Amino acid sequence: KELTKVLKEGKYKIVHSHINTLSVFPLYCAKKAKVPVRIAHSHSTTNKKEWKKNLMKQMLKPFSKLFATDYFACTEYAGRWLFGDKEFDKGNIYVLNNAIEVDKFKYDEKIRKLKRKELEIKDNQIVIGHIGRFVAQKNHTFLIDIFNEVHKQNKNTILLLIGQGPLQEEIKAKVNDFGLKESVIFLGQRNDVNELYQAMDVFLLPSLYEGLGMVLIEAQCNGLPCVCSTEVPIVAKLNENLNFLDLNSSLKFWADEILRSSKSFGRFDCSIYVKQSGFDIEKETKSLEKKYKALL
């Protein structure tokens, strides 16, 4: 009722909802408020391991188009998942890249040294980084298993975990059980993420599913070697320095690839790959503005 009231009083021409299957609710309010353009935007997919969440998504999925006038998605994969192959093949889904401020994420050796000093990380230590909410989707349990194997092979390794969420305490307990407390740094929610990438040597994302995986775009812009699961869409790969591994592969296989990646690539500014692949926010902002005007 409150949302419908806000939309009526504001006399909005466009309501753009970014909450996947849950978009049915705000777009219902928008239709009641007689908003002419109602956009449902798909940013994610699903994974069979999250069966409870998946059940809710599958129940709501048929209603995703009910109150929407237009369909957006961050990738073809996310668009086909929520709105269906027919809609995508008919050209009814507008793919808008999740873009970043490219200059903000460029590699900077000076910032790297300052950040590592701030975090009390030695020059010879290998830093594996992860950014994501502590929820099942991000697969932190498996991530800790991987790092445990990495640490067995090389004690001179550190894991940076950035983010917060409901599973954080559970993951902290697992870290303690493995005796990794001194080697895993929980940084919580941060507003200096662009600088924290500089301190890392490898970026790890073993997600159960992703609509895109924005952190990979940022990490690649920063020149970081990236290791992620095959559940991440192929469109996230901007250069040859990102490798996809199957979640069913052994922990040793993951650990070997992470340690190999940490040594095989010299850091440099990779922002050109981001721009070439269409993830530059300056370009995408103009594209969205043009699209809004066309819809109106």
Side-chain angles (χ1 to χ4, degrees):
K1 286 181 180 179
E2 282 298 314
L3 181 55
T4 304
K5 183 182 175 185
V6 167
L7 297 179
K8 280 181 178 177
E9 290 176 353
K11 297 180 180 176
Y12 297 101
K13 298 293 187 291
I14 298 175
V15 166
H16 189 160
S17 178
H18 295 263
I19 51 177
N20 301 324
T21 52
L22 293 173
S23 288
V24 61
F25 300 112
L27 295 185
Y28 166 71
C29 297
K31 186 170 184 180
K32 281 185 72 179
K34 294 184 169 58
V35 176
V37 179
R38 304 180 297 276
I39 302 166
H41 197 139
S42 177
H43 284 275
S44 189
T45 55
T46 192
N47 183 281
K48 60 187 177 183
K49 290 184 180 180
E50 280 191 308
W51 69 270
K52 286 183 181 177
K53 195 172 183 180
N54 193 25
L55 182 62
M56 182 190 73
K57 284 183 177 181
Q58 294 300 336
M59 288 171 66
L60 289 170
K61 204 170 165 183
F63 301 100
S64 60
K65 296 181 282 185
L66 191 59
F67 303 114
T69 58
D70 297 273
Y71 317 134
F72 282 28
C74 65
T75 60
E76 176 182 342
Y77 184 45
R80 286 184 182 277
W81 178 81
L82 185 58
F83 305 115
D85 291 334
K86 282 186 180 179
E87 293 294 346
F88 195 92
D89 292 337
K90 286 192 289 185
N92 291 340
I93 300 170
Y94 177 70
V95 176
L96 179 73
N97 288 327
N98 286 353
I100 65 170
E101 294 178 68
V102 175
D103 290 342
K104 190 176 174 182
F105 291 93
K106 284 181 180 178
Y107 179 62
D108 188 313
E109 182 71 21
K110 188 177 178 182
I111 295 174
R112 174 180 169 84
K113 288 178 179 177
L114 288 170
K115 217 62 187 175
R116 285 175 75 105
K117 186 178 179 181
E118 177 191 312
L119 295 168
E120 298 181 352
I121 295 168
K122 297 172 185 174
D123 289 343
N124 64 341
Q125 287 182 303
I126 298 170
V127 179
I128 299 156
H130 173 84
I131 300 171
R133 290 189 67 234
F134 284 83
V135 292
Q137 175 195 351
K138 300 301 179 181
N139 210 8
H140 284 87
T141 299
F142 185 57
L143 192 152
I144 300 302
D145 287 336
I146 294 169
F147 180 69
N148 187 44
E149 181 63 30
V150 168
H151 202 63
K152 284 178 184 176
Q153 293 187 34
N154 188 333
K155 299 294 182 188
N156 209 26
T157 48
I158 297 288
L159 176 63
L160 286 186
L161 294 177
I162 302 155
Q164 58 188 23
L167 300 180
Q168 188 169 341
E169 293 308 312
E170 180 183 314
I171 298 304
K172 281 184 178 179
K174 180 163 186 168
V175 167
N176 291 340
D177 289 344
F178 278 152
L180 294 170
K181 191 176 180 180
E182 300 304 313
S183 301
V184 180
I185 304 172
F186 290 83
L187 290 176
Q189 198 71 22
R190 302 282 294 226
N191 57 11
D192 60 344
V193 169
N194 58 311
E195 295 182 354
L196 289 169
Y197 282 114
Q198 312 279 2
M200 300 173 191
D201 297 297
V202 185
F203 191 81
L204 177 60
L205 191 74
S207 300
L208 295 177
Y209 60 92
E210 291 285 350
L212 171 64
M214 267 316 294
V215 287
L216 289 172
I217 306 302
E218 295 170 351
Q220 287 174 95
C221 185
N222 197 252
L224 272 170
C226 299
V227 179
C228 65
S229 75
T230 50
E231 301 304 315
V232 173
I234 190 72
V235 71
K237 185 181 176 78
L238 307 187
N239 59 47
E240 293 307 309
N241 204 32
L242 184 150
N243 291 307
F244 297 95
L245 300 188
D246 196 303
L247 289 172
N248 292 318
S249 295
S250 69
L251 293 173
K252 186 179 183 306
F253 189 76
W254 278 81
D256 288 346
E257 182 58 33
I258 288 164
L259 290 171
R260 185 199 66 77
S261 296
S262 72
K263 300 169 187 172
S264 66
F265 191 72
R267 287 288 279 284
F268 60 90
D269 176 12
C270 291
S271 59
I272 186 66
Y273 297 116
V274 179
K275 290 180 178 179
Q276 289 174 346
S277 302
F279 292 99
D280 182 354
I281 202 164
E282 287 189 23
K283 183 181 176 184
E284 289 304 288
T285 302
K286 289 173 184 174
S287 176
L288 181 57
E289 182 182 354
K290 186 177 178 181
K291 184 65 175 176
Y292 279 157
K293 287 179 177 177
L295 291 174
L296 287 170

